[in-house]
Amino acid sequence: MVRKPAPLAAVTMATVMLTSCGLTGVPQGGGGEERQSGTVAASPTGAVPAQPAAPETTATASSPTGAGADTRPALASTRSTHTSAYTAEVVGLNRVAGKHLVVQLRLSNTGTDENISWTGELGDNTRPLGEIRWASGIGVLDAAARRWLLPYKPADSPCLCSDERRDDLGYFIKPGESLSVYAVLPAPSGNPATTTVVTPLGPPMMDVPISDEPVAPPPGQTFPDPEAQPVTVVSHRIMTPSESPDRSEETTDDGKDLHVNLSSDVLFALNRADLTPRSRAVLTRTAKLIDASEGATITVEGHADSSGTDAINDPLSQRRAQSVQRALSGLLTRTGVRFQAKGYGSRRPLYGNEDEEGRRRNRRVTVTFAKPRPAETRPATTPEADPAPGGRGLTAQGKDGGQPFTLEVTGLRRLPGDLGVLTYKITNDGDAEAWHHELNRSAEWMSYKYQAAANVRLTDPATRRQYLPGRIMVQTGDRTDAYCACTELAGVRVGTEKIAPGRTKEFWSLFALPAGASSAQVKIAQYPPLRVPVR
């Protein structure tokens, strides 16, 4: 089921034209597609004439036992949440010219009786492709820059990646067989030794080593040179929300700026723009964050829910923004700060206005400023031996659709940039298949383009602050769509949510993690909370 998102902050789009530097061991070839923002370095003079690409060579599918099979050792692997017999293994991850990345996956059908359509779960779900034939969903998480990097888009096709038709790969993978696919995309920033490989298929593959050796394609394949033709960089911002225990404010971090959404219900009385006594504590915390920032410009935006009319909402949101600006000005300790205040009425909702929780969250004043310097890392503490009440070990029991389920948290891994990936499994212990609707029933579900397993919260034991799943921000025309940085439960993966008896499915979510935290309380859907160590 598709849900229309609220307009959010815009993402820029950049197209680069690069001269061929010759990818060692990577013959030049054809096409792919995409659009959005990115940071691939062009030549010092900017746009330059592109060099013609060499004739393309097709690729052929291979099987584990057939001639020319790709038998390279796997660097990492993941299993499809939707189709348990469908696995992906990273068999090549090479940085080229210091700024490109060639990702090679071996896709396998480990089942015994059914063919698998490999393209359906490997396509980029954040843009219309027209046909389902490209490995366009292969990407990497640039954690340090808070970017979701996907394959380049040349002018003549959706993606600089494997094409089922062009490369003669075949639509299905037969039982016991495999095939190899590739994608060419920007390298993650900072020249890291490892990265996190992401696909729509299943949980991310973390700490995959990057090689700077020449790329070695499998038998029968050649890869295109991204510097032989104009390409558009595809790079989506990642925003990570968190909220205070009393839900008086929600903060999202996009790696560059903080967006602090202050609840108007806390700041003001109904239909008033005078600050309440309770507002001082909320504004004091925001002022401390601004003091720790080095940005000179602070924007203050007033917003309303869909109740009332523009004649009421517009001037009220403007007056509220100005009230917050004046209060923050008096609380700051540093000088040289410029404020910009504006009211937007109900035109920029973050959540759906269909229920009271969505309307409450949309009644807000948003303060945006440059992300503060990293705070002092607090000393790591030893995780509690026992989980939070209700959980035993890293498992918990619950019910959905009349069937008993077991939850098992399999890991909470810290990534660069204070990001973390939570992975967990859910098993149907009953005697009938059931929909696991509770995974989707979170307060912000209307803010996403598609339904997702977003009903997950992390709580920092030291501060009691709650962390919500990250959001992948994708520009679509003049609108920004938000996708949950977690397992999707809609679109081509609509069957993900239904679980057969005895079946286990794996899920994941991306979060911000507080610096220095050695554990977090994890609350997933209807299950009791668990205390999970951070690794």
Side-chain angles (χ1 to χ4, degrees):
M1 182 183 301
V2 176
R3 300 293 180 186
K4 298 300 181 183
L8 294 170
V11 181
T12 59
M13 179 170 64
T15 301
V16 293
M17 296 180 67
L18 302 167
T19 55
S20 176
C21 65
L23 278 74
T24 305
V26 186
Q28 297 174 5
E33 174 172 3
E34 183 78 65
R35 57 185 186 142
Q36 226 77 8
S37 81
T39 55
V40 168
S43 67
T45 56
V48 294
Q51 301 298 313
E56 188 177 306
T57 303
T58 59
T60 57
S62 62
S63 71
T65 57
D70 187 349
T71 59
R72 289 174 290 178
L75 303 174
S77 65
T78 192
R79 183 179 298 274
S80 166
T81 300
H82 179 53
T83 310
S84 60
Y86 185 12
T87 63
E89 299 169 297
V90 179
V91 292
L93 190 61
N94 296 78
R95 185 165 33 220
V96 179
K99 56 186 174 181
H100 310 297
L101 199 67
V102 178
V103 184
Q104 299 181 66
L105 298 184
R106 180 170 56 229
L107 310 177
S108 300
N109 181 349
T110 62
T112 59
D113 54 2
E114 293 185 1
N115 294 337
I116 290 176
S117 172
W118 67 270
T119 55
E121 293 187 60
L122 206 59
D124 176 15
N125 205 30
T126 66
R127 61 198 170 99
L129 294 173
E131 298 179 73
I132 302 176
R133 51 185 263 208
W134 291 279
S136 53
I138 299 173
V140 298
L141 170 61
D142 186 347
R146 298 283 179 103
R147 308 294 298 193
W148 195 272
L149 305 177
L150 290 168
Y152 293 121
K153 177 192 178 303
D156 59 353
S157 63
C159 159
L160 208 61
C161 64
S162 292
D163 178 344
E164 174 262 321
R165 183 181 303 167
R166 180 200 66 207
D167 298 333
D168 193 26
L169 291 172
Y171 190 71
F172 294 104
I173 307 175
K174 296 178 181 180
E177 296 191 354
S178 66
L179 61 83
S180 298
V181 296
Y182 74 88
V184 185
L185 52 144
S189 60
N191 201 37
T194 65
T195 192
T196 298
V197 177
V198 293
T199 73
L201 194 70
M205 294 170 276
M206 292 167 277
D207 295 327
V208 186
I210 300 174
S211 172
D212 289 298
E213 296 297 317
V215 180
Q221 286 197 16
T222 59
F223 300 150
D225 183 345
E227 302 205 1
Q229 57 187 305
V231 294
T232 299
V233 177
V234 185
S235 172
H236 305 315
R237 284 183 306 134
I238 297 170
M239 301 187 73
T240 51
S242 65
E243 61 185 11
S244 60
D246 62 0
R247 299 158 77 192
S248 61
E249 57 84 11
E250 176 187 282
T251 298
T252 55
D253 179 351
D254 64 8
K256 179 183 177 183
D257 293 325
L258 287 187
H259 309 263
V260 182
N261 299 312
L262 306 174
S263 171
S264 290
D265 294 3
V266 173
L267 298 177
F268 309 102
L270 181 65
N271 295 327
R272 300 291 299 273
D274 301 322
L275 290 167
T276 65
R278 186 184 172 194
S279 67
R280 184 172 181 83
V282 178
L283 293 173
T284 298
R285 174 188 179 272
T286 304
K288 289 180 179 178
L289 291 172
I290 295 173
D291 277 335
S293 168
E294 296 180 349
T297 301
I298 314 298
T299 64
V300 183
E301 300 172 349
H303 301 277
D305 64 21
S306 59
S307 303
T309 65
D310 289 346
I312 296 173
N313 289 335
D314 288 359
L316 179 61
S317 64
Q318 177 69 32
R319 293 198 303 273
R320 286 180 166 181
Q322 292 169 339
S323 292
V324 170
Q325 174 189 328
R326 288 192 294 269
L328 288 175
S329 297
L331 291 170
L332 294 181
T333 60
R334 70 182 177 101
T335 60
V337 174
R338 299 188 304 273
F339 281 93
Q340 298 175 351
K342 187 173 181 179
Y344 289 94
S346 62
R347 291 186 294 280
R348 294 188 176 183
L350 285 179
Y351 300 92
N353 282 294
E354 289 75 13
D355 56 30
E356 176 51 36
E357 177 62 14
R359 291 190 291 272
R360 182 194 70 80
R361 288 174 177 251
N362 287 330
R363 296 190 295 269
R364 69 196 192 279
V365 175
T366 300
V367 183
T368 301
F369 48 93
K371 184 178 177 178
R373 298 180 298 274
E376 291 286 334
T377 300
R378 67 173 183 262
T381 57
T382 303
E384 295 179 9
D386 296 322
R392 186 173 183 179
L394 292 179
T395 64
Q397 310 299 316
K399 282 191 174 183
D400 202 358
Q403 298 299 309
F405 283 87
T406 295
L407 163 73
E408 179 186 1
V409 175
T410 56
L412 180 54
R413 297 276 300 278
R414 186 181 292 277
L415 302 177
D418 283 330
L419 291 178
V421 173
L422 173 74
T423 53
Y424 58 99
K425 299 178 180 179
I426 291 177
T427 301
N428 183 348
D429 296 323
D431 55 9
E433 67 178 4
W435 296 96
H436 206 308
H437 289 302
E438 290 296 328
L439 282 174
N440 178 58
R441 288 176 177 157
S442 62
E444 68 277 4
W445 72 276
M446 283 293 294
S447 67
Y448 297 127
K449 177 79 171 183
Y450 292 113
Q451 291 184 1
N455 193 6
V456 183
R457 295 290 183 275
L458 299 187
T459 301
D460 179 9
T463 65
R464 308 307 301 168
R465 189 169 186 82
Q466 282 196 344
Y467 294 81
L468 289 65
R471 300 168 186 169
I472 304 168
M473 313 305 294
V474 179
Q475 188 71 31
T476 305
D478 58 355
R479 185 187 70 210
T480 302
D481 292 340
Y483 294 78
C484 184
C486 63
T487 302
E488 286 190 354
L489 302 177
V492 72
R493 290 164 282 280
V494 69
T496 301
E497 199 176 7
K498 205 166 189 178
I499 305 179
R503 173 76 188 279
T504 297
K505 292 194 174 187
E506 298 184 42
F507 298 84
W508 68 277
S509 298
L510 179 73
F511 291 90
L513 283 179
S518 60
S519 68
Q521 178 178 287
V522 175
K523 179 72 171 70
I524 300 174
Q526 78 277 27
Y527 299 98
L530 297 168
R531 179 65 62 83
V532 179
V534 177
R535 303 299 186 193

